[in-house]
Amino acid sequence: MDARQLEYFLAIVDHGGFGRAAEHLLIAQPSLSQAIAQLERELGVLLFHRTGRGVVVSDAGRELAGHARQVMRDLSTARAAMESMKGLRRGRVELVTMPSPGIEPLGALTRAFSERHPGITLSAEAAFTPDEVAQKVRDGSCELGLVGSAAWTPPPGLDVLPLGDQAFILVGAAGGPFPSGDPVPRTALAGARMIVSPPGSRMRQIVDEIMAAGIELHIVAEVAHRTSILPLVLREVGLAVLPAAWAPLARSAGARVATLDPPAFLRISLLSRAAPLSPAAAAFLRTARAYTPPEPSLLPDANP
């Protein structure tokens, strides 16, 4: 078994077949098939089930995938470490983030990091739950992960750096109905039309808690893509509960923003592998350790 075989194997897993993997790797498909057949002979197991429509990863293949990603990640880290002997002038940070921390603190962290290391590229993948982020970091798909959750216990094998708490806010269109006061008592939302995310998110949980307390709300839209929520608010479809990371963008678009009473918070953390990191990822982690989050209960530039 060698690194080339593992690279070929993961390409087939990630691209869903030999043809697309060969195109990605820029090699002939027969050469790819021959390399995988040799790997299967060496291991004594089938890594893929060949079907009329393509291939399906076998149980053995799924087991190998996690180890293969770790091997390839460690090789990449070793190469990057050698490059770092010349000075951290180039490289890549591979990070996965949930939507809200993908606005802040990712924005502040990226600015501080890029000022210190202008030759390093940040690659940020998207995930929607803490478990998705943790899985990508654990299997080596990404070295770092930004998580926002109310209460979540990370799985073993990960280091967790807390980055502070982020308050939730109420957002509404400038010309639409909006409760008076700041903070807004949750009882003042009675009868409000709400735009929500699907069940499972902390944003939806807050709305469900308000309704469970006997306060009548009308859910007019349930939106999976959270980037669509603010545009719907601006169209006066309804109000929305969003993390405070959205506040600057909401205000700049002319929306009204207020805190909630009682407040609710999103805990932001940066996950990393409990293993040697690439020099670029280690530098990003140092930047994150120096990050000072804003006071969670305060929102700058509040509406008068």
Side-chain angles (χ1 to χ4, degrees):
M1 188 191 311
D2 60 34
R4 177 183 58 87
Q5 290 173 313
L6 294 181
E7 180 186 11
Y8 288 1
F9 164 70
L10 288 174
I12 298 168
V13 173
D14 292 340
H15 293 275
F18 281 76
R20 286 190 289 272
E23 292 177 5
H24 171 75
L25 295 166
L26 301 178
I27 63 172
Q29 185 169 333
S31 298
L32 177 60
S33 298
Q34 183 179 359
I36 296 302
Q38 177 63 29
L39 178 60
E40 290 178 323
R41 284 194 296 271
E42 291 176 4
L43 296 176
V45 296
L46 285 177
L47 300 175
F48 301 98
H49 298 300
R50 279 71 172 176
T51 68
R53 303 175 115 186
V55 295
V56 177
V57 183
S58 69
D59 289 342
R62 282 192 290 272
E63 179 67 22
L64 177 63
H67 298 290
R69 291 191 197 281
Q70 187 66 59
V71 169
M72 298 307 294
R73 173 66 65 190
D74 288 342
L75 286 173
S76 177
T77 299
R79 294 189 191 101
M82 295 303 97
E83 287 294 326
S84 72
M85 300 298 292
K86 309 170 189 175
L88 195 60
R89 296 191 297 270
R90 61 178 179 170
R92 188 179 186 88
V93 177
E94 295 181 337
L95 176 146
V96 57
T97 180
M98 293 175 63
S100 294
I103 300 174
E104 288 295 340
L106 182 61
L109 292 175
T110 302
R111 178 173 179 175
F113 178 75
S114 62
E115 288 174 350
R116 295 185 180 96
H117 307 286
I120 307 297
T121 300
L122 174 71
S123 172
E125 293 188 22
F128 295 94
T129 68
D131 288 338
E132 286 181 58
V133 174
Q135 182 59 39
K136 284 183 175 291
V137 176
R138 288 187 73 192
D139 69 17
S141 299
C142 297
E143 288 192 273
L144 303 172
L146 276 170
V147 167
S149 65
W152 175 71
T153 302
L158 296 178
D159 291 333
V160 181
L161 175 65
L163 295 178
D165 291 344
Q166 194 176 115
F168 280 88
I169 56 174
L170 182 69
V171 181
F178 197 85
S180 59
D182 187 1
V184 171
R186 297 190 182 194
T187 53
L189 292 173
R193 295 163 57 85
M194 302 297 300
I195 303 164
V196 300
S197 57
S201 71
R202 179 60 175 143
M203 292 187 297
R204 177 60 178 269
Q205 184 182 1
I206 294 169
V207 173
D208 289 343
E209 288 172 356
I210 294 172
M211 296 174 68
I215 301 168
E216 184 179 4
L217 301 176
H218 303 291
I219 295 179
V220 295
E222 184 177 282
V223 185
H225 293 286
R226 299 179 195 182
T227 52
S228 299
I229 293 178
L230 183 56
L232 290 174
V233 169
L234 296 173
R235 289 282 187 177
E236 301 186 16
V237 174
L239 307 177
V241 173
L242 292 170
W246 291 88
L249 182 60
R251 290 196 183 99
S252 66
R256 301 178 67 182
V257 175
T259 53
L260 291 169
D261 182 24
F265 299 98
L266 191 67
R267 180 149 295 170
I268 309 297
S269 301
L270 180 66
L271 308 182
S272 58
R273 298 188 306 147
L277 297 175
S278 68
F284 191 93
L285 187 58
R286 289 193 295 272
T287 299
R289 289 195 178 105
Y291 169 74
T292 302
E295 178 63 34
S297 61
L298 298 177
L299 289 175
D301 303 320
N303 292 307

